[in-house]
Structures are given as C-alpha cells and as structure tokens.
Amino acid sequence: MKYRPAVITAAASLALLAGTPAAGAAEGGPDSLPACTDVSTAYGDYEQRDLKASLDITAGELVPGADWTPAKGTLTNLGRRDLPAVAVSAYPWLQTDDPEYQDMTKFVKVEVRAEDGTWQPANGTGTVVSAPLPSGRTHTYDLRVRVIEDVPAGLGGSEFNFTGTFADVYRFPDTGKEVECAAQAIGYDAFHIRRASTPKPTPSSARPTPTASQSSPAPTATPASASPTASPSTTVSASPSASPASTTTAAPVPVPAPSSTGGELAETGGSDATLPLAAAAGGLAVLGAGAVAFARRRRG
C-alpha cells in the first residue's frame, strides 16, 4: 500500500504532538509552542487573521558605531476575541546565500522598552515583553536600533522584522483534533548602512589675486631692429634729377673750394665713403680752371 507524502507528514506531526499536552505547552509561553504554520504543513491551510504588525525605523540609513536610532513597532488586534498575552520580538536578517550574514543579530542590536520603562534586548527570534491585547486595540512599542562599529564593509544594509506572537489553536480538517500552536504577525522594514567618506573640498568661486611675482609685467616698447630698414645708396647718379633708391634722403655731398694750402681739400666732416668722390670732383675743377687759363694765354 502506498501512502501520500501529505498523509505521512500529518501522521508524524500527530505522533509528535500526542506526547505533549496542549495545556502544558501553553503554560510555557509562545516560545514553547510549535508554530501553527509548521503544525499545518501537511495541509497548508492555516492563516491567522487576528493580529496585525507594522514596523517603522525613523532613519533610512544607520552609521556604524553611532548612537541608538529610534523605531516604532505596532500591534493591532483585528479579531473579535481578546488576546490574553502577546509577546514581541525583533530579528535583523539579510537575504543572502552566505550563512554568515543571514543572521544579522551580531551586527545589529535591538532593544524594546518594557512597561516599567527599562530597555530589554529583543535581538533574535525569542519573544520578550508579553502583554494582553483586547479586541480592536492597538499597542505601540518603543524600539531602538544600532549597528556595531566593526560591521563588515561588504554589508550594505539589513532587513528587519518586528513580530507579535500569541497562542492559537489549529484544528486538523480530517480528524478535528485541536493542537495549540504559536501564531505570528510580522511587520517589516529595512535600512541602509552608511559608510563614512572623506568630504571633498568645495571649490571656491573667487579668483585668486596674483602676487607681485605672478603679476604680468607692464608692456614695454618694442626696440627697433639694430639694422635699419633701408640704407641710402652709395652710388651717385650722373643725372641731377635721379633720386636715391632708398626712402631715406642722403645728405648732399659738399663741393670744397680750392684751398690756399697747396690745393688740398678741407675737412668737411663727411663720412670716409664720400672722400674719394669729393677729391675727384675737386680735381676736375682744378683741371678745368687750368685749361681756361691756358686758353687765355694763347689768345693773348
């Protein structure tokens, strides 16, 4: 005979629960009860509709090693019956394949304020601060969260559960047997872990004032070239109407008068280049005067 896996699982669950009376388990609190979802695994038909949970972490980013960050956890009884005891728990976790970081309780610390005003650790799946919750009532819990200073650099954040747990009863549909179990309502939130970064200097919009060594020198006149742009021609034209080849006018060459000192030319202060020309001109003048005198003598 072949049995369906669901029937085998249900039978095993009944055998396990048969040795533990429901009343005795309830006396130990919700943590001593099996989860209602586990009890109904063979059928998968359990769903609690009495309790609603919500979570709000006031800061979206937490700095490692910083002070506590406040949070709020809320439980509301939506059912028609009063819940004599509802316990709360908080559990930080991470959706990852690395088992070392799936449980974030060693990096993220959580506490809840009790009725007497003291802070109680609520960092894990274990429940704390159990209190009754009448039908239609809402209870808000003060929480605080912090990330330890030496959290690994690769962790960028964490998911976070706030859970309310109460004792409920599951009835098997095939036998009608009732088993007391723990029902849960889970509120969810998440936060990022902000890394400290070195602030970048803000560039100034003001232009720096140049110093005396950096200031531009005053403009100076450009010196003229050492060589003149044009030089006068040293060639004397035979025609008196000829003009120099250069735009620069050459100084006139003085014609010296005959000197009583034996026909030598007086100094004119001219340049050495003009002396041969002046001597030639003077010689021609002396020869011309001699020729005239010789002609007059022959006529006479």
Side-chain angles (χ1 to χ4, degrees):
M1 179 182 298
K2 296 183 179 180
Y3 296 93
R4 295 180 179 179
V7 176
I8 297 175
T9 305
S13 300
L14 289 174
L16 178 63
L17 295 174
T20 305
E27 293 177 356
D31 289 341
S32 61
L33 296 175
C36 293
T37 53
D38 292 340
V39 173
S40 65
T41 299
Y43 301 95
D45 59 344
Y46 177 80
E47 183 180 0
Q48 71 88 15
R49 298 181 178 86
D50 294 324
L51 189 65
K52 178 182 178 181
S54 63
L55 174 65
D56 181 25
I57 301 176
T58 57
E61 289 185 337
L62 273 66
V63 179
D67 201 1
W68 293 96
T69 297
K72 294 289 185 182
T74 303
L75 295 176
T76 302
N77 186 352
L78 302 176
R80 296 181 179 180
R81 56 173 177 163
D82 296 339
L83 301 178
V86 179
V88 299
S89 61
Y91 181 66
W93 55 281
L94 188 62
Q95 184 66 40
T96 177
D97 294 333
D98 192 340
E100 182 180 359
Y101 300 135
Q102 291 175 356
D103 184 353
M104 293 285 289
T105 55
K106 53 188 173 183
F107 305 121
V108 181
K109 305 303 178 182
V110 189
E111 293 183 353
V112 58
R113 188 188 295 272
E115 295 294 334
D116 59 358
T118 60
W119 289 98
Q120 303 292 331
N123 202 43
T125 56
T127 58
V128 295
V129 191
S130 180
L133 187 61
S135 174
R137 299 290 298 272
T138 297
H139 190 87
T140 301
Y141 295 87
D142 293 327
L143 304 173
R144 60 183 186 181
V145 187
R146 64 183 298 267
V147 178
I148 64 173
E149 185 175 3
D150 55 347
V151 62
L155 295 179
S158 175
E159 284 80 12
F160 198 95
N161 285 351
F162 173 73
T163 304
T165 305
F166 64 97
D168 200 2
V169 174
Y170 175 74
R171 182 190 300 271
F172 284 92
D174 55 346
T175 62
K177 181 177 179 62
E178 294 183 351
V179 177
E180 192 171 12
C181 55
Q184 292 183 336
I186 301 175
Y188 170 83
D189 202 354
F191 61 84
H192 296 284
I193 297 177
R194 185 177 64 190
R195 301 294 173 179
S197 58
T198 303
K200 297 181 179 180
T202 303
S204 175
S205 59
R207 295 182 178 179
T209 303
T211 60
S213 61
Q214 297 176 344
S215 59
S216 300
T220 57
T222 304
S225 176
S227 58
T229 58
S231 61
S233 175
T234 58
T235 304
V236 178
S237 174
S239 175
S241 62
S243 59
S246 172
T247 56
T248 304
T249 303
V253 179
V255 179
S259 175
S260 60
T261 60
E264 294 179 358
L265 293 177
E267 293 182 6
T268 60
S271 63
D272 296 339
T274 60
L275 288 178
L277 297 178
L284 291 176
V286 172
L287 291 176
V292 172
F294 179 75
R296 287 182 180 179
R297 288 179 181 179
R298 291 188 64 181
R299 290 177 184 178

